[in-house]
Amino acid sequence: MTDLTTASADDRSLRILSTGDLAGIDISLADVVETVEGAYRTLHAGQSDNPRKLTVKPADGHSVAYAMLGRDGSRDVVAIKTSYKHGLDKGRDEQHYYTSLTVYDDVTGLPLAMMDCSRIGSLRTPAVSALLARECAAPGARSALVIGTGTQGRLALPFLLTTLPDLDRLMLSGTHPEGIAAVREQVRSYFPDREVEVVTDLRAAAGDADVIVATAGGHTPAAVEADWLKPGALSVLVGHGLAPSTLHRADRVIATSEAQMNVTGTDMADADGKLPAVDAEFPSVLAGVTAGRGSATERIFTYNSGLVVTDIALGHRFAQLALAQGLGTEVALWR
């Protein structure tokens, strides 16, 4: 059930939760991880639906848009997420990005809320990376390297420390001073006793890292190669920063969704335009049906593409917190 007692007033109104409404909501990293993990487990149990995302992209590649529909069976909600990014051929400051999530109560049939999905995505994605690290990192993993300081890079280390608290070396590879400062500030705000080491020799840092999370943008020159990695290393691809060899020469490949990897991971294809088959999908790993790792020395590649059921679960959690605080604006959308 939804547990949202003050949703839209009727079937012609919609509660709008803006960027500002959601920005002030306090939610712990552990709460986010638990919510996202629950969504994966419900999906694996066959209680939720997560169809393949739809994608449109012009021939010159200047923009990309996605549409994702899903149903969360544990919450009895249906939702649609849209994502549109413009200016992929330009620098980060010239790009435009818009994403939203519209949630409906599948018990009452009423709309619950429409919300900006940017904060949800900025939390959901690093939470998934942290869960991948918890399940697939080598035993005793102590060092982590994050590549990129954009939206996804800034919370990667705090989430990793949430699921792998024994990490004691936190490395960061980035080129934007403001991004580096933001990463350090995020780590300091959640883990004030931890320090971030900014690295300039990517090859050496990758060779030292037990866990590598690549979150850089498409224009990054960073490209970690497979032969840089030490035995037992775990690579998590979110954006860019890993060369295709880390996928094709991995001992084990795990994806949040093989179908989505085949849609959004084409830049990792080999010379023949092919991607290798995955050894397991992550929901089955979380459910304990498939092992995340077979040995301490396996080099594992994981692909974090995000599933809409995780956005739905976290969006529903935010809607609960927002409506409890009386946030949002009621709009007579269908009048």
Side-chain angles (χ1 to χ4, degrees):
M1 299 296 290
T2 65
D3 293 324
L4 293 176
T5 57
T6 54
S8 295
D10 55 44
D11 62 352
R12 297 184 180 184
S13 298
L14 182 65
R15 173 78 57 163
I16 304 295
L17 298 173
S18 68
T19 304
D21 291 328
L22 299 179
I25 293 175
D26 186 25
I27 186 169
S28 70
L29 301 185
D31 190 345
V32 174
V33 170
E34 180 181 1
T35 301
V36 170
E37 181 174 0
Y40 276 120
R41 291 182 181 276
T42 303
L43 177 64
H44 183 267
Q47 300 172 19
S48 296
D49 297 292
N50 194 103
R52 182 172 174 174
K53 68 171 66 174
L54 298 176
T55 307
V56 291
K57 190 173 186 178
D60 64 5
H62 75 268
S63 70
V64 64
Y66 301 105
M68 292 149 276
L69 169 68
R71 185 181 188 280
D72 186 313
S74 66
R75 293 170 174 79
D76 287 322
V77 295
V78 172
I80 300 169
K81 178 184 177 181
T82 61
S83 177
Y84 171 66
K85 193 166 189 176
H86 183 276
L88 297 177
D89 54 340
K90 301 177 181 178
R92 181 161 53 181
D93 292 341
E94 298 179 86
Q95 294 179 356
H96 300 280
Y97 178 60
Y98 307 98
T99 180
S100 63
L101 182 73
T102 306
V103 186
Y104 301 88
D105 187 325
D106 201 30
V107 175
T108 66
L110 297 177
L112 293 176
M114 179 179 184
M115 65 195 74
D116 169 38
C117 204
S118 56
R119 188 179 179 203
I120 293 165
S122 71
L123 292 169
R124 177 264 290 157
T125 303
V128 173
S129 294
L131 285 167
L132 285 164
R134 188 190 74 187
E135 299 297 322
C136 303
R142 302 299 294 269
S143 58
L145 167 65
V146 171
I147 302 170
T149 61
T151 300
Q152 296 304 330
R154 297 182 184 187
L155 278 170
L157 288 171
F159 272 105
L160 284 174
L161 287 169
T162 300
T163 61
L164 295 176
D166 291 334
L167 291 174
D168 55 18
R169 187 181 181 193
L170 309 177
M171 295 177 281
L172 175 67
S173 173
T175 58
H176 299 279
E178 68 279 7
I180 292 171
V183 170
R184 283 180 155 154
E185 176 57 31
Q186 289 284 9
V187 172
R188 191 179 304 115
S189 65
Y190 289 103
F191 297 92
D193 60 331
R194 302 299 184 100
E195 295 293 331
V196 176
E197 173 189 348
V198 178
V199 298
T200 55
D201 187 336
L202 183 60
R203 180 168 188 159
D208 289 340
D210 295 309
V211 178
I212 299 172
V213 181
T215 73
H219 296 293
T220 183
V224 171
E225 296 285 354
D227 60 5
W228 299 4
L229 304 175
K230 67 180 183 179
L234 169 68
S235 301
V236 182
L237 184 61
V238 177
H240 300 270
L242 298 177
S245 63
T246 58
L247 166 60
H248 294 275
R249 292 171 54 188
D251 298 308
R252 187 167 176 77
V253 177
I254 295 173
T256 48
S257 165
E258 184 171 22
Q260 287 194 10
M261 176 173 153
N262 288 330
V263 171
T264 60
T266 53
D267 58 315
M268 298 292 283
D270 63 15
D272 297 321
K274 296 181 179 180
L275 294 171
V278 306
D279 294 292
E281 290 191 319
F282 192 50
S284 69
V285 174
L286 269 180
V289 174
T290 307
R293 158 180 297 275
S295 74
T297 59
E298 281 184 327
R299 292 183 177 91
I300 298 178
F301 177 95
T302 60
Y303 190 81
N304 177 0
S305 59
L307 301 183
V308 73
V309 289
T310 60
D311 293 289
I312 294 171
L314 195 54
H316 182 262
R317 181 74 180 116
F318 267 98
Q320 287 179 311
L321 296 171
L323 294 175
Q325 299 175 39
L327 300 174
T329 303
E330 202 76 25
V331 176
L333 183 63
W334 293 288
R335 290 184 186 276

